[in-house]
């Protein structure tokens, strides 16, 4: 005898009476127009100015617009963007946003994921394009002016983003800080903007391993990043020095990747190099700080599966760059509250090659020479002895 299939539970209501009041009592319909009249409140609510929001909406509007049907009205592009920005700005659960906007929980989940995907697909080329040789030269000039580190094309580091434990994942996402995460690996410039990112690696992996396996690492090893030709350091008559990325002890030393000298047997020359490198590397730490302060979804665990969490991180990275470019004045208060903490990763990265050692020695000698020395560097390293 064939068992009969259980009868599907009938839907009690086409739309819940509370949700049906969305057009009268929902936060978007009751608050949005008033917020636009108060720039300060709007910036606090959306984490960007009215002008920046309108600019962003104009870029994304065609991809967030859907047709009305005979069954229901579509949710406008404005409301979709507001709901997504509010989720990213607060980290509130979808259930909480459900009561604020009077939209279904599954509807909000779909809106956030779709909008984040649209942001990544259609904003990336505008705010984080693939760097060319002239872009690397501009970045290097910025680091020289702000951090006095010549031929530096970016500061590299990884940030662990908390996520809920994916089912059947074992310990792959469990990091050395004792929580589950995916990793945001980013190269930042001296304006706290992200130049290249790699997102979604397992939290259990070390920074060096993630970078080596990333497309960014492959392109650096294969000389496919369109880096400028080596050039002499400012004021130096020595041989041309390659353009380099600055990173911490968690990364392997190479001709284009500078890391500090080991902390044992440090003399003044090595301490000065470590000090100068740390001054340049702090920009990526500060960029992560600004990112987390503005988009507070990062201040708690992202309650999404890793694929959707990756979409959220991708969108926040681009929105970070977008606001730095189009709304830099709104970051003034945030920048003042950012401090960089230097935490050395003790992961083993293998023995450095002789080419990387030689390049590091070139920079170390330059920083101790009359052409490259800073007047305050000896005073700065006295506390590290």
């Amino acid at each position: 005898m064939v068992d009969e299939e259980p009868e599907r539970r009938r839907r009690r209501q086409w739309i819940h009476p509370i949700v049906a009041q969305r057009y009268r009592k929902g936060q978007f319909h009751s608050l949005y127009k008033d917020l636009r009249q108060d720039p300060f409140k709007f910036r606090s609510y959306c984490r960007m100015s009215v002008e920046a929001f309108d600019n962003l909406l104009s870029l994304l509007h065609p991809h967030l617009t859907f047709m009305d049907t005979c069954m229901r009205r579509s949710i406008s592009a404005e409301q979709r963007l507001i709901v997504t920005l509010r989720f990213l700005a607060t980290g509130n659960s979808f259930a909480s946003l459900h009561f604020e906007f009077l939209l279904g929980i599954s509807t909000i989940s779909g809106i956030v994921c779709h909008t984040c995907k649209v942001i990544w697909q259609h904003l990336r080329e505008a705010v984080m394009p693939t760097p060319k040789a002239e872009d690397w030269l501009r970045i290097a000039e910025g680091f020289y002016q702000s951090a006095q580190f010549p031929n530096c094309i970016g500061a590299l580091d990884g940030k662990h983003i908390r996520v809920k434990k994916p089912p059947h994942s074992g310990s792959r996402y469990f990091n050395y800080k004792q929580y589950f995460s995916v990793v945001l690996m980013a190269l930042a410039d001296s304006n706290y903007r992200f130049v290249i990112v790699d997102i979604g690696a397992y939290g259990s992996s070390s920074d060096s391993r993630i970078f080596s396996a990333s497309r960014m690492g492959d392109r650096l090893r294969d000389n496919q990043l369109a880096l400028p030709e080596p050039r002499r350091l400012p004021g130096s008559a020595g041989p041309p020095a390659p353009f380099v990325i600055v990173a911490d002890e968690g990364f392997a030393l190479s001709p284009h990747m500078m890391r500090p000298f080991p902390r044992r047997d440090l003399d003044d020359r090595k301490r000065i190099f470590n000090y100068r490198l740390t001054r340049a590397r702090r920009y990526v730490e500060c960029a992560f700080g600004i990112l987390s302060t503005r988009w507070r979804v990062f201040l708690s665990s992202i309650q999404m599966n890793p694929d959707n969490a990756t979409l959220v991180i991708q969108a926040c990275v681009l929105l970070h760059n977008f606001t730095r470019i189009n709304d830099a004045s709104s970051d003034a208060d945030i920048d003042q509250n950012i401090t960089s903490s230097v935490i050395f990763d003790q992961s083993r990265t293998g023995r450095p090659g002789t080419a990387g050692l030689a390049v590091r020695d070139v920079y170390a000698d330059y920083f101790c020479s009359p052409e490259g020395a800073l007047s305050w560097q000896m005073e700065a390293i006295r506390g590290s002895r």
Side-chain angles (χ1 to χ4, degrees), residues 285-291 293 333-340:
E285 299 278 359
C286 292
F288 286 146
I290 295 171
L291 177 74
T293 302
D333 295 335
I334 294 178
D335 292 353
Q336 294 174 3
N337 296 324
I338 297 301
T339 58
S340 62

Side-chain angles (χ1 to χ4, degrees), residues 65-184:
T65 302
F66 294 84
M67 292 180 59
D68 294 335
T69 69
C70 60
M71 304 294 289
R72 64 181 68 188
R73 292 164 57 184
S74 65
I75 299 171
S76 68
E78 274 181 304
Q79 187 171 3
R80 287 173 175 272
L81 187 55
I82 286 288
V83 168
T84 302
L85 292 179
R86 195 62 187 153
F87 170 73
L88 301 179
T90 63
N92 287 349
S93 67
F94 294 149
S96 176
L97 295 174
H98 158 69
F99 290 107
E100 294 175 14
F101 290 95
L102 300 184
L103 293 165
I105 295 176
S106 60
T107 301
I108 291 175
S109 174
I111 287 173
V112 169
C113 292
H114 176 259
T115 306
C116 287
K117 184 182 294 185
V118 166
I119 289 172
W120 180 252
Q121 291 174 343
H122 300 283
L123 194 61
R124 184 178 180 182
E125 193 59 34
V127 301
M128 198 174 65
T130 302
K132 300 177 182 178
E134 55 268 27
D135 299 317
W136 294 124
L137 289 172
R138 175 183 52 78
I139 292 171
E141 181 62 23
F143 272 103
Y144 183 61
Q145 294 298 328
S146 59
Q148 292 75 52
F149 199 111
N151 287 17
C152 177
I153 57 170
L156 180 70
D157 203 2
K159 178 177 176 61
H160 288 273
I161 309 296
R162 288 179 181 265
V163 296
K164 71 174 182 180
K165 181 185 182 300
H168 315 298
S169 62
S171 60
R172 286 177 295 178
Y173 291 92
F174 196 68
N175 63 37
Y176 71 97
K177 298 181 179 181
Q178 307 299 304
Y179 59 81
F180 295 94
S181 66
V182 296
V183 178
L184 163 61

